[in-house]
Short mmCIF file of all heavy atoms in Angstrom, two decimals:
data_model
loop_
_atom_site.label_atom_id
_atom_site.label_comp_id
_atom_site.label_asym_id
_atom_site.label_seq_id
_atom_site.Cartn_x
_atom_site.Cartn_y
_atom_site.Cartn_z
N ARG A 10 -83.05 13.01 50.65
CA ARG A 10 -83.02 13.22 52.12
C ARG A 10 -83.32 11.91 52.86
O ARG A 10 -82.66 11.59 53.85
CB ARG A 10 -84.01 14.28 52.54
CG ARG A 10 -83.52 15.66 52.10
CD ARG A 10 -84.48 16.70 52.60
NE ARG A 10 -84.04 18.03 52.13
CZ ARG A 10 -84.64 19.12 52.40
NH1 ARG A 10 -85.75 19.08 53.14
NH2 ARG A 10 -84.17 20.27 51.95
N THR A 11 -84.29 11.18 52.38
CA THR A 11 -84.63 9.92 53.04
C THR A 11 -83.47 8.93 52.89
O THR A 11 -83.13 8.21 53.85
CB THR A 11 -85.91 9.31 52.41
OG1 THR A 11 -86.96 10.25 52.43
CG2 THR A 11 -86.35 8.05 53.10
N PHE A 12 -82.85 8.94 51.70
CA PHE A 12 -81.74 8.03 51.52
C PHE A 12 -80.60 8.35 52.45
O PHE A 12 -80.00 7.48 53.08
CB PHE A 12 -81.24 8.13 50.06
CG PHE A 12 -80.02 7.33 49.81
CD1 PHE A 12 -80.08 5.93 49.69
CD2 PHE A 12 -78.78 7.95 49.69
CE1 PHE A 12 -78.93 5.18 49.42
CE2 PHE A 12 -77.63 7.19 49.47
CZ PHE A 12 -77.73 5.81 49.33
N ILE A 13 -80.28 9.64 52.61
CA ILE A 13 -79.19 10.06 53.51
C ILE A 13 -79.49 9.68 54.96
O ILE A 13 -78.64 9.23 55.70
CB ILE A 13 -78.94 11.59 53.38
CG1 ILE A 13 -78.49 11.94 51.96
CG2 ILE A 13 -77.90 12.07 54.37
CD1 ILE A 13 -77.15 11.36 51.54
N LYS A 14 -80.71 9.91 55.36
CA LYS A 14 -81.12 9.56 56.73
C LYS A 14 -80.97 8.04 56.98
O LYS A 14 -80.41 7.61 57.97
CB LYS A 14 -82.59 9.98 56.99
CG LYS A 14 -82.82 11.39 57.12
CD LYS A 14 -84.28 11.72 57.34
CE LYS A 14 -84.60 13.19 57.25
NZ LYS A 14 -86.02 13.45 57.39
N LEU A 15 -81.47 7.25 56.05
CA LEU A 15 -81.35 5.81 56.19
C LEU A 15 -79.90 5.34 56.15
O LEU A 15 -79.49 4.40 56.91
CB LEU A 15 -82.14 5.08 55.09
CG LEU A 15 -83.67 5.20 55.21
CD1 LEU A 15 -84.36 4.60 53.99
CD2 LEU A 15 -84.18 4.59 56.50
N ALA A 16 -79.07 5.97 55.36
CA ALA A 16 -77.63 5.60 55.31
C ALA A 16 -76.94 5.92 56.63
O ALA A 16 -76.13 5.14 57.13
CB ALA A 16 -76.94 6.33 54.19
N ALA A 17 -77.30 7.05 57.25
CA ALA A 17 -76.71 7.47 58.51
C ALA A 17 -77.16 6.50 59.63
O ALA A 17 -76.33 6.08 60.48
CB ALA A 17 -77.09 8.88 58.87
N ILE A 18 -78.40 6.16 59.64
CA ILE A 18 -78.92 5.21 60.64
C ILE A 18 -78.26 3.87 60.48
O ILE A 18 -77.81 3.24 61.46
CB ILE A 18 -80.45 5.10 60.56
CG1 ILE A 18 -81.09 6.42 61.01
CG2 ILE A 18 -80.98 3.94 61.41
CD1 ILE A 18 -82.57 6.54 60.74
N THR A 19 -78.17 3.38 59.25
CA THR A 19 -77.53 2.07 58.96
C THR A 19 -76.08 2.12 59.40
O THR A 19 -75.57 1.15 59.99
CB THR A 19 -77.68 1.71 57.50
OG1 THR A 19 -79.08 1.75 57.15
CG2 THR A 19 -77.10 0.34 57.24
N GLY A 20 -75.37 3.16 59.11
CA GLY A 20 -73.97 3.30 59.51
C GLY A 20 -73.78 3.29 61.00
O GLY A 20 -72.88 2.69 61.54
N GLY A 21 -74.68 3.99 61.72
CA GLY A 21 -74.62 3.95 63.19
C GLY A 21 -74.83 2.61 63.75
O GLY A 21 -74.14 2.16 64.70
N ILE A 22 -75.82 1.90 63.21
CA ILE A 22 -76.09 0.52 63.70
C ILE A 22 -74.86 -0.38 63.42
O ILE A 22 -74.48 -1.18 64.30
CB ILE A 22 -77.37 0.01 63.08
CG1 ILE A 22 -78.55 0.77 63.62
CG2 ILE A 22 -77.53 -1.48 63.34
CD1 ILE A 22 -79.89 0.47 62.91
N ALA A 23 -74.32 -0.25 62.26
CA ALA A 23 -73.16 -1.07 61.88
C ALA A 23 -71.99 -0.77 62.83
O ALA A 23 -71.26 -1.67 63.23
CB ALA A 23 -72.74 -0.83 60.44
N ALA A 24 -71.78 0.50 63.19
CA ALA A 24 -70.70 0.86 64.10
C ALA A 24 -70.91 0.28 65.47
O ALA A 24 -69.98 -0.24 66.10
CB ALA A 24 -70.61 2.40 64.21
N LEU A 25 -72.15 0.28 65.97
CA LEU A 25 -72.46 -0.30 67.28
C LEU A 25 -72.24 -1.78 67.29
O LEU A 25 -71.69 -2.37 68.22
CB LEU A 25 -73.88 0.03 67.66
CG LEU A 25 -74.14 1.48 68.04
CD1 LEU A 25 -75.63 1.70 68.30
CD2 LEU A 25 -73.34 1.90 69.22
N VAL A 26 -72.63 -2.48 66.22
CA VAL A 26 -72.42 -3.92 66.10
C VAL A 26 -70.93 -4.19 65.99
O VAL A 26 -70.46 -5.17 66.63
CB VAL A 26 -73.18 -4.48 64.89
CG1 VAL A 26 -72.76 -5.95 64.60
CG2 VAL A 26 -74.68 -4.40 65.11
N GLY A 27 -70.17 -3.39 65.31
CA GLY A 27 -68.73 -3.57 65.20
C GLY A 27 -68.02 -3.42 66.53
O GLY A 27 -67.02 -4.06 66.79
N LEU A 28 -68.51 -2.50 67.35
CA LEU A 28 -67.90 -2.28 68.66
C LEU A 28 -68.20 -3.45 69.60
O LEU A 28 -67.42 -3.78 70.47
CB LEU A 28 -68.42 -0.97 69.29
CG LEU A 28 -67.93 0.31 68.66
CD1 LEU A 28 -68.65 1.50 69.29
CD2 LEU A 28 -66.42 0.43 68.79
N ARG A 29 -69.31 -4.09 69.40
CA ARG A 29 -69.68 -5.19 70.30
C ARG A 29 -68.94 -6.47 69.95
O ARG A 29 -68.58 -7.24 70.81
CB ARG A 29 -71.20 -5.42 70.20
CG ARG A 29 -71.68 -6.51 71.07
CD ARG A 29 -73.17 -6.74 70.85
NE ARG A 29 -73.55 -7.97 71.49
CZ ARG A 29 -74.27 -8.01 72.58
NH1 ARG A 29 -74.69 -6.89 73.11
NH2 ARG A 29 -74.62 -9.17 73.11
N ARG A 30 -68.70 -6.74 68.71
CA ARG A 30 -68.07 -7.97 68.27
C ARG A 30 -66.65 -8.18 68.78
O ARG A 30 -66.34 -9.26 69.23
CB ARG A 30 -68.06 -8.04 66.74
CG ARG A 30 -69.41 -8.08 66.13
CD ARG A 30 -70.08 -9.40 66.36
NE ARG A 30 -71.42 -9.36 65.80
CZ ARG A 30 -72.27 -10.32 65.88
NH1 ARG A 30 -71.92 -11.45 66.43
NH2 ARG A 30 -73.45 -10.18 65.38
N PRO A 31 -65.74 -7.21 68.77
CA PRO A 31 -64.39 -7.49 69.27
C PRO A 31 -64.36 -7.84 70.76
O PRO A 31 -63.54 -8.63 71.22
CB PRO A 31 -63.64 -6.17 69.05
CG PRO A 31 -64.37 -5.54 67.95
CD PRO A 31 -65.79 -5.91 68.10
N ALA A 32 -65.28 -7.32 71.56
CA ALA A 32 -65.31 -7.66 72.97
C ALA A 32 -65.65 -9.14 73.15
O ALA A 32 -65.09 -9.82 74.01
CB ALA A 32 -66.33 -6.77 73.68
N GLU A 33 -66.58 -9.65 72.33
CA GLU A 33 -66.92 -11.04 72.43
C GLU A 33 -65.78 -11.94 71.94
O GLU A 33 -65.50 -12.98 72.50
CB GLU A 33 -68.17 -11.31 71.64
CG GLU A 33 -69.42 -10.68 72.23
CD GLU A 33 -70.61 -10.81 71.32
OE1 GLU A 33 -70.47 -11.39 70.20
OE2 GLU A 33 -71.70 -10.32 71.73
N ALA A 34 -65.11 -11.49 70.90
CA ALA A 34 -64.01 -12.28 70.33
C ALA A 34 -62.80 -12.28 71.21
O ALA A 34 -62.01 -13.25 71.25
CB ALA A 34 -63.64 -11.73 68.96
N GLY A 35 -62.61 -11.23 72.03
CA GLY A 35 -61.43 -11.14 72.91
C GLY A 35 -61.44 -12.17 74.00
O GLY A 35 -60.42 -12.59 74.49
N ARG A 36 -62.60 -12.66 74.37
CA ARG A 36 -62.68 -13.62 75.47
C ARG A 36 -62.18 -15.04 75.01
O ARG A 36 -61.75 -15.80 75.81
CB ARG A 36 -64.13 -13.77 75.91
CG ARG A 36 -64.59 -12.54 76.65
CD ARG A 36 -65.97 -12.78 77.18
NE ARG A 36 -66.72 -11.50 77.00
CZ ARG A 36 -67.97 -11.42 76.65
NH1 ARG A 36 -68.65 -12.52 76.44
NH2 ARG A 36 -68.51 -10.27 76.52
N ALA A 37 -62.28 -15.30 73.73
CA ALA A 37 -61.91 -16.63 73.23
C ALA A 37 -60.47 -16.78 72.80
O ALA A 37 -60.07 -17.78 72.30
CB ALA A 37 -62.81 -16.98 72.00
N GLN A 38 -59.67 -15.76 73.02
CA GLN A 38 -58.26 -15.81 72.61
C GLN A 38 -57.44 -16.74 73.51
O GLN A 38 -57.68 -16.85 74.73
CB GLN A 38 -57.65 -14.42 72.64
CG GLN A 38 -58.18 -13.53 71.56
CD GLN A 38 -57.51 -12.14 71.60
OE1 GLN A 38 -56.77 -11.88 72.54
NE2 GLN A 38 -57.80 -11.31 70.64
N ALA A 39 -56.48 -17.42 72.91
CA ALA A 39 -55.61 -18.31 73.66
C ALA A 39 -54.52 -17.46 74.38
O ALA A 39 -54.34 -16.28 74.12
CB ALA A 39 -54.95 -19.28 72.68
N THR A 40 -53.81 -18.13 75.28
CA THR A 40 -52.76 -17.43 75.99
C THR A 40 -51.62 -17.10 75.03
O THR A 40 -51.33 -17.87 74.13
CB THR A 40 -52.21 -18.33 77.14
OG1 THR A 40 -51.76 -19.55 76.57
CG2 THR A 40 -53.27 -18.60 78.16
N PRO A 41 -50.99 -15.95 75.18
CA PRO A 41 -49.95 -15.56 74.24
C PRO A 41 -48.71 -16.48 74.36
O PRO A 41 -48.36 -16.92 75.45
CB PRO A 41 -49.59 -14.12 74.65
CG PRO A 41 -50.15 -13.94 76.03
CD PRO A 41 -51.26 -14.94 76.17
N VAL A 42 -48.10 -16.71 73.24
CA VAL A 42 -46.90 -17.54 73.17
C VAL A 42 -45.67 -16.63 73.31
O VAL A 42 -45.61 -15.63 72.60
CB VAL A 42 -46.86 -18.34 71.83
CG1 VAL A 42 -45.57 -19.14 71.72
CG2 VAL A 42 -48.10 -19.15 71.71
N PRO A 43 -44.71 -16.94 74.16
CA PRO A 43 -43.54 -16.10 74.28
C PRO A 43 -42.74 -16.14 72.99
O PRO A 43 -42.70 -17.17 72.31
CB PRO A 43 -42.77 -16.71 75.45
CG PRO A 43 -43.26 -18.10 75.57
CD PRO A 43 -44.67 -18.07 75.09
N PRO A 44 -42.09 -15.07 72.61
CA PRO A 44 -41.30 -15.02 71.38
C PRO A 44 -40.10 -16.02 71.45
O PRO A 44 -39.50 -16.20 72.50
CB PRO A 44 -40.82 -13.59 71.26
CG PRO A 44 -40.96 -12.99 72.61
CD PRO A 44 -42.04 -13.78 73.32
N ALA A 45 -39.82 -16.59 70.32
CA ALA A 45 -38.71 -17.53 70.25
C ALA A 45 -37.38 -16.79 70.33
O ALA A 45 -37.24 -15.66 69.85
CB ALA A 45 -38.76 -18.30 68.95
N GLU A 46 -36.42 -17.38 70.94
CA GLU A 46 -35.09 -16.79 71.06
C GLU A 46 -34.35 -16.93 69.72
O GLU A 46 -34.44 -17.96 69.09
CB GLU A 46 -34.32 -17.44 72.18
CG GLU A 46 -34.96 -17.18 73.52
CD GLU A 46 -34.04 -17.52 74.68
OE1 GLU A 46 -32.82 -17.53 74.46
OE2 GLU A 46 -34.54 -17.71 75.78
N PRO A 47 -33.59 -15.90 69.34
CA PRO A 47 -32.92 -15.99 68.05
C PRO A 47 -31.79 -17.10 68.12
O PRO A 47 -31.10 -17.23 69.10
CB PRO A 47 -32.27 -14.62 67.87
CG PRO A 47 -32.28 -13.99 69.22
CD PRO A 47 -33.41 -14.63 69.98
N THR A 48 -31.68 -17.84 67.02
CA THR A 48 -30.68 -18.90 66.99
C THR A 48 -29.48 -18.51 66.08
O THR A 48 -28.50 -19.21 66.08
CB THR A 48 -31.32 -20.17 66.41
OG1 THR A 48 -31.87 -19.89 65.13
CG2 THR A 48 -32.43 -20.67 67.35
N ALA A 49 -29.63 -17.42 65.30
CA ALA A 49 -28.53 -17.03 64.45
C ALA A 49 -27.41 -16.41 65.25
O ALA A 49 -27.57 -15.80 66.25
CB ALA A 49 -29.03 -16.00 63.44
N ALA A 50 -26.19 -16.69 64.82
CA ALA A 50 -25.03 -16.22 65.53
C ALA A 50 -24.65 -14.78 65.13
O ALA A 50 -23.81 -14.16 65.75
CB ALA A 50 -23.81 -17.09 65.22
N GLY A 51 -25.34 -14.22 64.14
CA GLY A 51 -25.07 -12.86 63.72
C GLY A 51 -24.12 -12.76 62.54
O GLY A 51 -23.87 -13.73 61.82
N TYR A 52 -23.56 -11.58 62.37
CA TYR A 52 -22.68 -11.30 61.26
C TYR A 52 -21.36 -12.03 61.42
O TYR A 52 -20.77 -12.01 62.50
CB TYR A 52 -22.45 -9.81 61.16
CG TYR A 52 -21.54 -9.42 60.03
CD1 TYR A 52 -21.95 -9.34 58.74
CD2 TYR A 52 -20.20 -9.09 60.34
CE1 TYR A 52 -21.09 -8.96 57.73
CE2 TYR A 52 -19.32 -8.69 59.35
CZ TYR A 52 -19.76 -8.66 58.06
OH TYR A 52 -18.91 -8.31 57.03
N ARG A 53 -20.91 -12.66 60.35
CA ARG A 53 -19.56 -13.33 60.37
C ARG A 53 -18.78 -12.89 59.15
O ARG A 53 -19.31 -12.77 58.05
CB ARG A 53 -19.75 -14.82 60.33
CG ARG A 53 -20.39 -15.35 61.59
CD ARG A 53 -20.50 -16.84 61.56
NE ARG A 53 -21.23 -17.28 62.73
CZ ARG A 53 -21.09 -18.46 63.26
NH1 ARG A 53 -20.30 -19.35 62.70
NH2 ARG A 53 -21.80 -18.76 64.32
N LEU A 54 -17.55 -12.62 59.37
CA LEU A 54 -16.64 -12.22 58.31
C LEU A 54 -16.06 -13.49 57.67
O LEU A 54 -15.04 -14.00 58.14
CB LEU A 54 -15.55 -11.27 58.82
CG LEU A 54 -14.68 -10.60 57.80
CD1 LEU A 54 -15.51 -9.71 56.90
CD2 LEU A 54 -13.60 -9.83 58.45
N THR A 55 -16.68 -13.96 56.59
CA THR A 55 -16.22 -15.21 55.93
C THR A 55 -15.39 -14.80 54.69
O THR A 55 -15.26 -13.63 54.34
CB THR A 55 -17.42 -16.05 55.52
OG1 THR A 55 -18.23 -15.29 54.65
CG2 THR A 55 -18.20 -16.50 56.74
N GLU A 56 -14.84 -15.79 54.03
CA GLU A 56 -13.97 -15.59 52.86
C GLU A 56 -14.75 -14.88 51.72
O GLU A 56 -14.23 -13.97 51.12
CB GLU A 56 -13.39 -16.89 52.37
CG GLU A 56 -12.34 -17.48 53.32
CD GLU A 56 -11.19 -16.50 53.56
OE1 GLU A 56 -10.68 -15.92 52.55
OE2 GLU A 56 -10.80 -16.36 54.68
N HIS A 57 -15.96 -15.32 51.43
CA HIS A 57 -16.67 -14.67 50.32
C HIS A 57 -17.08 -13.23 50.67
O HIS A 57 -17.13 -12.39 49.81
CB HIS A 57 -17.89 -15.51 49.89
CG HIS A 57 -19.05 -15.48 50.83
ND1 HIS A 57 -19.11 -16.26 51.96
CD2 HIS A 57 -20.18 -14.74 50.80
CE1 HIS A 57 -20.27 -16.02 52.56
NE2 HIS A 57 -20.92 -15.09 51.89
N VAL A 58 -17.25 -12.90 51.96
CA VAL A 58 -17.53 -11.52 52.34
C VAL A 58 -16.26 -10.70 52.16
O VAL A 58 -16.31 -9.57 51.68
CB VAL A 58 -18.09 -11.48 53.78
CG1 VAL A 58 -18.22 -10.03 54.28
CG2 VAL A 58 -19.39 -12.21 53.89
N LYS A 59 -15.12 -11.25 52.57
CA LYS A 59 -13.86 -10.53 52.38
C LYS A 59 -13.59 -10.24 50.91
O LYS A 59 -13.11 -9.20 50.55
CB LYS A 59 -12.71 -11.34 52.98
CG LYS A 59 -12.74 -11.40 54.48
CD LYS A 59 -11.62 -12.26 55.00
CE LYS A 59 -11.63 -12.48 56.48
NZ LYS A 59 -10.61 -13.37 56.97
N ARG A 60 -13.86 -11.24 50.06
CA ARG A 60 -13.69 -11.06 48.61
C ARG A 60 -14.58 -9.95 48.08
O ARG A 60 -14.14 -9.13 47.27
CB ARG A 60 -13.97 -12.36 47.86
CG ARG A 60 -12.76 -13.10 47.48
CD ARG A 60 -13.03 -14.31 46.60
NE ARG A 60 -13.43 -15.38 47.55
CZ ARG A 60 -14.46 -16.17 47.39
NH1 ARG A 60 -15.23 -16.07 46.31
NH2 ARG A 60 -14.79 -17.10 48.27
N TYR A 61 -15.80 -9.89 48.56
CA TYR A 61 -16.73 -8.84 48.13
C TYR A 61 -16.19 -7.47 48.59
O TYR A 61 -16.19 -6.50 47.77
CB TYR A 61 -18.11 -9.05 48.75
CG TYR A 61 -19.01 -7.85 48.51
CD1 TYR A 61 -19.60 -7.67 47.26
CD2 TYR A 61 -19.26 -6.95 49.53
CE1 TYR A 61 -20.41 -6.53 47.07
CE2 TYR A 61 -20.05 -5.84 49.31
CZ TYR A 61 -20.62 -5.66 48.06
OH TYR A 61 -21.41 -4.56 47.85
#
Side-chain angles (χ1 to χ4, degrees):
R10 289 184 181 179
T11 305
F12 175 76
I13 298 294
K14 288 178 188 176
L15 290 175
I18 291 170
T19 305
I22 291 171
L25 290 175
V26 170
L28 289 174
R29 181 183 168 108
R30 297 288 176 181
E33 292 173 359
R36 292 185 218 141
Q38 289 181 352
T40 57
V42 178
E46 296 196 21
T48 57
Y52 177 79
R53 294 182 185 204
L54 190 62
T55 58
E56 290 301 316
H57 73 278
V58 173
K59 289 178 186 176
R60 260 186 279 134
Y61 171 77

